[in-house]
Structures are given as C-alpha cells and as structure tokens.
Amino acid sequence: MLKAARLLIVPVLMLAALRPSFAQTSVAELLAQPPEKLAALKSDPHIAKAMKFLEVSDSRADVLKKADGVLDAVVMSEQHEHPGQNALFWNAFRDRVRGQIQEETDQFLLLSAQLYASRFTDAELDQLIAFYSTGIGAKYFRERAGLDRQELDLASAWSEQVTPRVLEKVRANLNAGKGKAP
C-alpha cells in the first residue's frame, strides 16, 4: 500500500516541480506594509513597469471587474438592510462606495505589481509586456487559469489511472523473477 501511495504522489510532485515557486513574499508581509511604503511604490520605475504588465495582461481589468462585483454586493447588502431609501440616496451611496473601492483597488494593484517586480527584472518585464501586448499573449493570459485547473485535474486523474497499471506491471515483473509478489 505504501508503494502505491508513492506511485500516486510521484506524478503530482513531478507536475509541481515544473511550476515556479511563488513563495518569495508572503501575503501577510505584503498586506502589513505601512501606507508610506505603498505610496512610495507609485514612484518606483520598476513597479511602474510591473503595473504596465498588469495592464497589458488584462490582470488590471480582471481586478476592476471583481471590484465592480464588490461594489454591487455592498450596495445590495445595504439596500436589504435599509429598504426605505429612495433611488437618489442609493445613487449617492453607490458613488461613495465606488470611490472607496477605487482607493482599495489601486492599493491592491500596487501590491500585485510588487509581486511581479520582485520576481522579474526590467528586461524580463519588457519581454512580458511585449508578449502580452500580442493577441496570442492576451489569449494565453485569459485562458491560463482554466488551463491550470484542467492540468491539475488531468494530473490527478492520470495518476489514479497509472498507479494500478504500474503496480500491476511491477508485481508481474517481480513474480516472473522470484515466483511471488510482495
């Protein structure tokens, strides 16, 4: 049974080894930065280049879509809690929430740019920007998350299928050589 578990783990570890490690900066460290450090990031040319990458790769657009979802959720929640207000009130409330979410979104984008800037040089960011500025680069970025999920599902399903076959062949080889299986 232990051998079968090892055979199941090996393909998953092989797949994990092919992926780059993103553990250089923890989420907690990024979020714990003082506001002054975040403000200083805005004038850092390397961060600006990472922000450009976020723009051309559609990451910024994805973040803005999610921010719109947060805006709608906040407004709907408050409308449910305070049903007696008129449309004029809710329009003004929505504008205030939108402004606050925009500030938060700008900070999030700086944090995200900081992640990319910590892993890529200026020259590498230039190459990424050039690639994602093409049609195929933009398409790849849009498809990447779905492909990653499918690849992990495929690896898991494959390892479930390959484990019994490998075990069967190993046992057959052992039986042929020694006369009995372990």
Side-chain angles (χ1 to χ4, degrees), residues 11 46 80 97 132 156 173:
H46 191 59
H80 180 55
V97 172
Y132 285 108
S156 179
N173 286 339

Side-chain angles (χ1 to χ4, degrees), residues 21-33:
S21 171
F22 293 110
Q24 295 177 2
T25 306
S26 76
V27 170
E29 291 171 330
L30 287 170
L31 292 174
Q33 295 178 93

Side-chain angles (χ1 to χ4, degrees), residues 71 74-75 78-79 85-101:
L71 170 67
V74 168
V75 171
E78 288 299 303
Q79 284 176 332
Q85 300 296 329
N86 62 29
L88 186 62
F89 172 85
W90 290 117
N91 287 338
F93 181 79
R94 179 178 286 278
D95 289 342
R96 286 184 180 160
V97 172
R98 183 179 288 116
Q100 186 61 45
I101 288 175

Side-chain angles (χ1 to χ4, degrees), residues 130-141:
F131 175 70
Y132 285 108
S133 294
T134 67
I136 191 64
K139 180 178 181 180
Y140 170 74
F141 201 80

Side-chain angles (χ1 to χ4, degrees), residues 31-100:
L31 292 174
Q33 295 178 93
E36 312 82 52
K37 184 173 181 187
L38 283 176
L41 289 176
K42 292 178 183 178
S43 61
D44 182 326
H46 191 59
I47 296 293
K49 195 166 281 199
M51 291 288 279
K52 173 71 174 166
F53 168 71
L54 293 176
E55 182 77 34
V56 300
S57 66
D58 279 344
S59 289
R60 185 176 188 282
D62 288 342
V63 169
L64 294 176
K65 283 181 202 170
K66 289 178 179 142
D68 286 344
V70 171
L71 170 67
D72 291 340
V74 168
V75 171
M76 285 180 19
S77 173
E78 288 299 303
Q79 284 176 332
H80 180 55
E81 293 292 320
H82 308 285
Q85 300 296 329
N86 62 29
L88 186 62
F89 172 85
W90 290 117
N91 287 338
F93 181 79
R94 179 178 286 278
D95 289 342
R96 286 184 180 160
V97 172
R98 183 179 288 116
Q100 186 61 45

Side-chain angles (χ1 to χ4, degrees), residues 117-170:
S118 71
R119 287 166 179 79
F120 297 101
T121 66
D122 271 354
E124 291 168 333
L125 285 169
D126 286 337
Q127 291 174 6
L128 285 168
I129 290 167
F131 175 70
Y132 285 108
S133 294
T134 67
I136 191 64
K139 180 178 181 180
Y140 170 74
F141 201 80
R142 285 190 308 272
E143 298 292 334
R144 187 183 72 188
L147 285 169
D148 286 349
R149 281 190 302 276
Q150 282 186 304
E151 188 178 27
L152 288 173
D153 291 346
L154 177 63
S156 179
W158 175 79
S159 66
E160 287 175 16
Q161 287 183 355
V162 79
T163 299
R165 285 195 312 254
V166 169
L167 191 55
E168 181 181 323
K169 288 178 183 179
V170 168

